[in-house]
Amino acid sequence: INAEYMGVPRDLVIKLLYTENEVGLGMSHNKLSIMFVDIEDFTSMCEKVRSHILIELMAEYLDAMCDVITCNGGTVDKFIGDAIMAFWNAPKKVEHHEKAAVDSALKMSVKLEELNYTWRSKSLPLLKIRMGINSAVVYVGNIGSRDRMNYTLMGDGVNIASRLESLGKIYKTQILATYAIFDKVQDEYLCYYLDLVQVKGKEKTIKVYQVVCKMEDATKDQRNMSCIFNEVMDMMQKHNFKDVMDQICDLRIRGISHQGLEIIFDRAQNNLKTGRTTIINQIMMK
């Protein structure tokens, strides 16, 4: 593929080369799975690491992450600083694209561990990443001007995937997904039902799930944690806030902890103090 096509999805380039269709502005509706990936504390790292080392590190990291995405049928949309935006089911159709996106996220996590192992032996900085995944009907296609176009996505579903990635910082998780993803992968992947979150400017709430691992790889403790979250969220739904606090306190005594449980505990405690019945995390993602 010539340099003129750099930055254009490979599958789209191949499609253009083997058809007589002209490239033009235009978008269509399609259901896709969308992922945002970001490096934790990247700005701080930039201030401490020499530029040539940072460039080499990022090149190796981006190559590895993009390889995983494309090998799993995904399309790398763009790099936004150190962040990666990718999606599945366009321009090439991907069966079970929700599973492909989740599988990619887990494989990216494993690949990063391998990279960090190598970098540690060379005394190079280590990276941590957060990922947000959503599935939704969005606009996909070419947008821009007559002289410059970008094959990309638009829509609320894209924004939600981006906000989920950011939310991982609060919940101290690596991979967060929406119910739209969970609903399609729950038989094959273990996910924790972490919380209900409200998006800024909208009345609807989003069920947030933490993607943990393939079901076949789940440990007994991980399966138990999934049950714990389901029980706690059910008690919150029924406004049994005292029971929520008692159970989480008991878990602390037993040495079982999760940042998501602490966030729910604080909300239940505040409800008891104020007489409110808030079950939604009103962080209000921007």
Side-chain angles (χ1 to χ4, degrees), residues 38 40-41 129-131 163-174 176 259 263 283:
D38 201 18
E40 291 186 16
D41 300 321
I129 58 175
R130 296 187 303 268
M131 293 172 266
R163 302 306 178 254
L164 279 183
E165 177 276 308
S166 300
L167 200 60
K169 185 175 183 178
I170 296 172
Y171 287 90
K172 298 182 179 179
T173 55
Q174 186 176 58
L176 290 182
Q259 180 64 16
I263 290 172
I283 294 174

Side-chain angles (χ1 to χ4, degrees), residues 195-233:
D195 216 341
L196 276 172
V197 176
Q198 188 172 14
V199 180
K200 185 177 182 180
K202 297 183 181 296
E203 293 184 2
K204 71 173 184 178
T205 57
I206 301 170
K207 287 185 176 181
V208 177
Y209 293 82
Q210 178 186 354
V211 178
V212 181
C213 61
K214 283 189 174 182
M215 196 67 75
E216 61 197 46
D217 298 328
T219 65
K220 181 179 179 181
D221 287 345
Q222 288 171 330
R223 292 176 185 272
N224 286 341
M225 182 63 78
S226 179
C227 294
I228 288 168
F229 269 106
N230 288 337
E231 292 171 2
V232 168
M233 289 304 297

Side-chain angles (χ1 to χ4, degrees), residues 74-90:
T75 298
V76 177
D77 184 314
K78 62 174 69 74
F79 302 131
I80 310 167
D82 63 293
I84 304 170
M85 176 181 170
F87 53 86
W88 284 258
N89 208 32

Side-chain angles (χ1 to χ4, degrees), residues 35-38 40 65 104-113 116 127-133 164-169 171-177 194 209-212 258:
M35 174 194 288
F36 279 82
V37 189
D38 201 18
E40 291 186 16
M65 297 300 104
S104 295
L106 291 171
K107 287 179 178 177
M108 290 163 71
S109 176
V110 172
K111 186 62 181 179
L112 184 59
E113 288 180 6
N116 278 330
L127 301 182
K128 291 183 179 181
I129 58 175
R130 296 187 303 268
M131 293 172 266
I133 314 172
L164 279 183
E165 177 276 308
S166 300
L167 200 60
K169 185 175 183 178
Y171 287 90
K172 298 182 179 179
T173 55
Q174 186 176 58
I175 309 170
L176 290 182
L194 285 192
Y209 293 82
Q210 178 186 354
V211 178
V212 181
H258 191 291

Side-chain angles (χ1 to χ4, degrees), residues 96-195:
H96 310 298
H97 50 87
E98 298 91 350
K99 292 180 182 179
V102 168
D103 191 56
S104 295
L106 291 171
K107 287 179 178 177
M108 290 163 71
S109 176
V110 172
K111 186 62 181 179
L112 184 59
E113 288 180 6
E114 295 173 359
L115 290 174
N116 278 330
Y117 181 82
T118 301
W119 293 335
R120 185 181 291 108
S121 67
K122 298 178 181 179
S123 299
L124 293 172
L126 307 183
L127 301 182
K128 291 183 179 181
I129 58 175
R130 296 187 303 268
M131 293 172 266
I133 314 172
N134 183 34
S135 181
V137 176
V138 297
Y139 287 103
V140 57
N142 294 317
I143 187 171
S145 66
R146 289 173 297 179
D147 300 323
R148 186 175 181 85
M149 291 182 293
N150 184 23
Y151 185 81
T152 189
L153 312 180
M154 293 177 62
D156 284 345
V158 181
N159 298 331
I160 289 172
S162 175
R163 302 306 178 254
L164 279 183
E165 177 276 308
S166 300
L167 200 60
K169 185 175 183 178
I170 296 172
Y171 287 90
K172 298 182 179 179
T173 55
Q174 186 176 58
I175 309 170
L176 290 182
T178 58
Y179 179 79
I181 292 290
F182 169 76
D183 186 47
K184 298 295 184 180
V185 307
Q186 58 181 306
D187 292 336
E188 297 182 36
Y189 297 88
L190 181 68
C191 303
Y192 300 160
Y193 175 23
L194 285 192
D195 216 341

